[in-house]
Amino acid sequence: MQPHPLSRRTLLGGIAALPALPQTTPPTTRARPHDTSTELLQQWATAPGTHPLIPDIAQAGHHHGTHPPRHRVVTTVTHFGARPDGTTDSAPAFNAAIRATGERGGGAVHIPRGTYLLTTPIFMHWSHVVLRGAGRDTTILRFTRPLDDGYRPARQSNGNSRWSWTGGQIWFLTPERRARSEAEDYAGTEGWLPGDTLAHVAAASRGQHTLLVTDTTHLHPGDLVILECDNPPDATLLMHLAGDTPGTRTYDWPRRAPQLVTDSGGQYPQYALLQRPVRIEAVLGPRLIRLTQPLRHDLRPTWPARLRAPGPTVHDSGVEDLTLRNDPLPMTPHNRHPGSNGVCFQAVHDCWARNVRVENCDLGFGLTTATANTLTHVTVAGRSAHHSFACRMQSHDNLIDHFTIEPFTTPTPAGAVHHGLNLEGLSSGNVWRRGTMAEGTFDSHRALPFDNARTDITLTNNGRVGGSAASGPLFGARITHWNIRITNASPYAITIADVAPRSLTLGVQGTTTTDSELTPDFTGDLENLLTGHGTRPHITDLYAAQRDHLHLD
């Protein structure tokens, strides 16, 4: 059965009988006549997780949106030989302090005020370990070599460097994941190394919490498991993730999206399976479980689904209260970057970066197959970056809150590109909110990111969208841009009703035009909505409004 076409009247009409929602803006703020933000939120609230245009993002971030804790200090890097003199290589001392703390079960590793020189990356291989400075303005980690020199090169056959979009000078990943990547020369999968299959899952609909499974013997309340389903050669799963709009059925998936499609001859290994870590809220019997969050897509018999153990991972670790400063190297041509990077979270969950500033970077903050992490009060600064923020390779449910991209001290040179807020690679449920961007744009790097939101952001819109053409569509369904303020009048990649299927563009201010300047991947009716253009919506922050409705704060 094909989905029924949507219309603006369908979405915005006939909701007078719905219950009023709690105030999400101060009482002194008066709603404009026929405020569509309130109406749309009321629609979403009747059945969270099932709205055709609005993603369910209420539980994005560390442990479903809870604030990361403050761990007790158990050691100091200076006890292991680090020196805040700006000249002594302190990288071995940092890594030794982190290892000792991890092997003792966790805690905070304190970095006293001063400048520390490091020639190699810091690897956060252990759970429950926090690297904490004395303050963002007083603890400076000075990295003198990019990853190419301080760790190892990661060049593709065409000369492009993988450090252009992943890897970090502070890098959260397991030793097993690191060893696998090194053995494959970073050419294989980048994500989870899942363990045993715990149960198979029956068909279910988007928005469901309760699932029928073959067996609950190995499933327990609180467990994080990977919900995995096959991505078949007929591309029906991909069509579904793109909203099942008419154009998804005429799109030539094998030819235009070979990296996504099985049997195309060019599929990226990680796209053969759709994987999202989910948490079990309750075991309801020998065949039933309830998930904490609703399903983000259907489960159908033709896309066999299962629950698997996540395998080795790092969780509940963080970095906070410091500045990561790369020595300023000239920015290279596009994708040839040597890895003057910041913080990377790879195949980890429920970690965080708090009050961290990254300077002179190729990649500022990277999320690679990362789930439920929170980046808060984070800043990218210094010379021009390639990716200030990258969210890729099936990264889900991450929250980037109170973020800043400062004006670059050296502009982006000819032959290089700055993107901004990157989404790609079947990533979903990610949220950027309460941000200020002096540089960049809302970037999609293709491979069908879906169900993501950017809300309550001010930007000078000067970045560019990117991604390999072989990765297929720029957008999946339910990409939402909500209350966005543009300072230079450019709607490029912000107003996306002309290009993104089943998307919502609401309350974009500072531009009179609505042309995204992007080429649509799908023909026909995209079944989306652009509303409230040029006006500040009554509900200014979609994430906060959803959490308020569900009483999560």
Side-chain angles (χ1 to χ4, degrees):
M1 181 177 179
Q2 300 298 344
H4 191 277
L6 299 175
S7 69
R8 189 177 190 278
R9 178 172 295 179
T10 300
L11 290 165
L12 298 181
I15 63 170
L18 293 176
L21 295 175
Q23 285 282 346
T24 57
T25 52
T28 55
T29 301
R30 296 182 59 190
R32 291 165 178 79
H34 197 69
D35 182 78
T36 55
S37 68
T38 302
E39 295 187 52
L40 285 164
L41 187 70
Q42 288 174 333
Q43 292 175 5
W44 169 85
T46 61
T50 65
H51 196 278
L53 303 184
I54 302 175
D56 192 302
I57 54 170
Q59 297 186 58
H62 167 271
H63 285 288
H64 308 291
T66 61
H67 296 293
R70 295 286 291 185
H71 282 34
R72 180 177 64 88
V73 172
V74 297
T75 193
T76 302
V77 293
T78 52
H79 293 166
F80 290 80
R83 295 290 178 264
D85 56 15
T87 58
T88 302
D89 184 7
S90 294
F94 273 65
N95 282 307
I98 291 165
R99 177 170 188 152
T101 302
E103 291 177 345
R104 287 206 301 260
V109 178
H110 179 57
I111 314 169
R113 62 187 301 143
T115 298
Y116 298 82
L117 184 147
L118 300 103
T119 62
T120 59
I122 298 169
F123 288 103
M124 302 291 289
H125 284 329
W126 288 269
S127 297
H128 303 287
V129 175
V130 177
L131 190 64
R132 180 186 300 154
R136 197 164 73 170
D137 297 328
T138 58
T139 297
I140 312 298
L141 307 189
R142 178 195 167 200
F143 287 87
T144 59
R145 298 195 293 179
L147 295 176
D148 259 1
D149 301 327
Y151 174 40
R152 55 177 287 159
R155 298 281 165 172
Q156 297 177 316
S157 59
N158 61 4
N160 287 346
S161 170
R162 292 183 174 87
W163 306 145
S164 300
W165 52 79
T166 194
Q169 301 282 28
I170 299 176
W171 199 338
F172 292 76
L173 82 168
T174 64
E176 295 89 345
R177 175 69 273 173
R178 177 181 169 188
R180 173 79 170 268
S181 294
E182 290 174 353
E184 297 174 342
D185 198 22
Y186 290 86
T189 62
E190 299 179 65
W192 304 104
L193 300 172
D196 294 339
T197 296
L198 306 174
H200 294 273
V201 186
S205 298
R206 175 176 170 260
Q208 279 186 219
H209 286 261
T210 301
L211 302 182
L212 179 65
V213 299
T214 52
D215 182 24
T216 60
T217 302
H218 302 292
L219 304 175
H220 307 93
D223 284 355
L224 188 86
V225 295
I226 293 180
L227 174 61
E228 177 182 277
C229 65
D230 294 351
N231 176 13
D234 63 8
T236 50
L237 173 62
L238 301 175
M239 296 177 199
H240 176 60
L241 300 181
D244 283 312
T245 60
T248 65
R249 296 186 287 277
T250 58
Y251 184 80
D252 190 346
W253 292 93
R255 184 180 66 84
R256 298 183 62 186
Q259 290 185 359
L260 282 175
V261 179
T262 308
D263 294 344
S264 65
Q267 186 184 44
Y268 194 89
Q270 198 159 321
Y271 296 149
L273 300 167
L274 182 62
Q275 296 176 322
R276 178 194 174 199
V278 295
R279 197 172 296 278
I280 298 172
E281 182 176 85
V283 176
L284 305 177
R287 296 287 304 273
L288 291 171
I289 62 170
R290 179 176 173 82
L291 303 180
T292 304
Q293 294 175 269
L295 288 180
R296 197 156 282 143
H297 55 83
D298 290 354
L299 302 178
R300 299 179 185 173
T302 51
W303 316 328
R306 61 205 68 88
L307 298 175
R308 297 183 66 180
T313 187
V314 171
H315 60 88
D316 296 282
S317 292
V319 57
E320 52 197 32
D321 301 331
L322 57 81
T323 287
L324 188 163
R325 178 176 294 157
N326 291 289
D327 278 4
L329 302 177
M331 192 176 186
T332 63
H334 190 224
N335 286 337
R336 303 302 174 100
H337 308 289
S340 293
N341 292 355
V343 183
C344 183
F345 299 86
Q346 183 174 357
V348 302
H349 67 90
D350 296 297
C351 295
W352 68 88
R354 175 168 51 199
N355 195 30
V356 174
R357 177 183 174 92
V358 174
E359 297 180 357
N360 307 319
C361 58
D362 298 324
L363 167 64
F365 294 88
L367 296 157
T368 296
T369 320
T371 289
N373 302 288
T374 291
L375 283 58
T376 182
H377 293 90
V378 291
T379 298
V380 174
R383 61 96 162 150
S384 56
H386 175 223
H387 285 294
S388 289
F389 296 88
C391 185
R392 53 186 300 276
M393 282 295 149
Q394 302 200 51
S395 286
H396 305 290
D397 302 304
N398 298 289
L399 173 64
I400 300 91
D401 184 19
H402 279 302
F403 67 92
T404 302
I405 303 175
E406 293 186 359
F408 292 146
T409 55
T410 303
T412 306
V417 175
H418 175 236
H419 297 293
L421 309 185
N422 159 275
L423 278 168
E424 63 178 276
L426 300 176
S427 295
S428 72
N430 302 290
V431 179
W432 278 268
R433 68 187 288 246
R434 298 192 291 189
T436 302
M437 302 168 57
E439 310 278 355
T441 192
F442 293 178
D443 168 44
S444 171
H445 254 53
R446 298 189 176 271
L448 215 64
F450 64 101
D451 281 62
N452 300 284
R454 299 162 172 123
T455 182
D456 193 14
I457 297 170
T458 299
L459 78 157
T460 300
N461 189 20
N462 59 12
R464 305 304 296 175
V465 165
S468 167
S471 293
L474 285 166
F475 302 101
R478 289 172 294 280
I479 302 296
T480 295
H481 295 167
W482 184 296
N483 186 29
I484 309 301
R485 301 165 294 276
I486 300 170
T487 63
N488 62 339
S490 171
Y492 172 81
I494 308 296
T495 53
I496 54 174
D498 59 347
V499 66
R502 294 224 170 175
S503 62
L504 174 60
T505 305
L506 182 147
V508 173
Q509 303 142 65
T511 178
T512 58
T513 59
T514 60
D515 182 3
S516 71
E517 303 175 34
L518 303 174
T519 301
D521 292 293
F522 303 117
T523 58
D525 184 4
L526 296 177
E527 299 181 354
N528 54 26
L529 182 64
L530 184 150
T531 185
H533 190 70
T535 62
R536 179 178 180 268
H538 178 59
I539 295 172
T540 58
D541 184 332
L542 178 61
Y543 177 77
Q546 289 191 2
R547 289 185 67 81
D548 283 350
H549 172 73
L550 297 175
H551 306 293
L552 293 175
D553 288 319

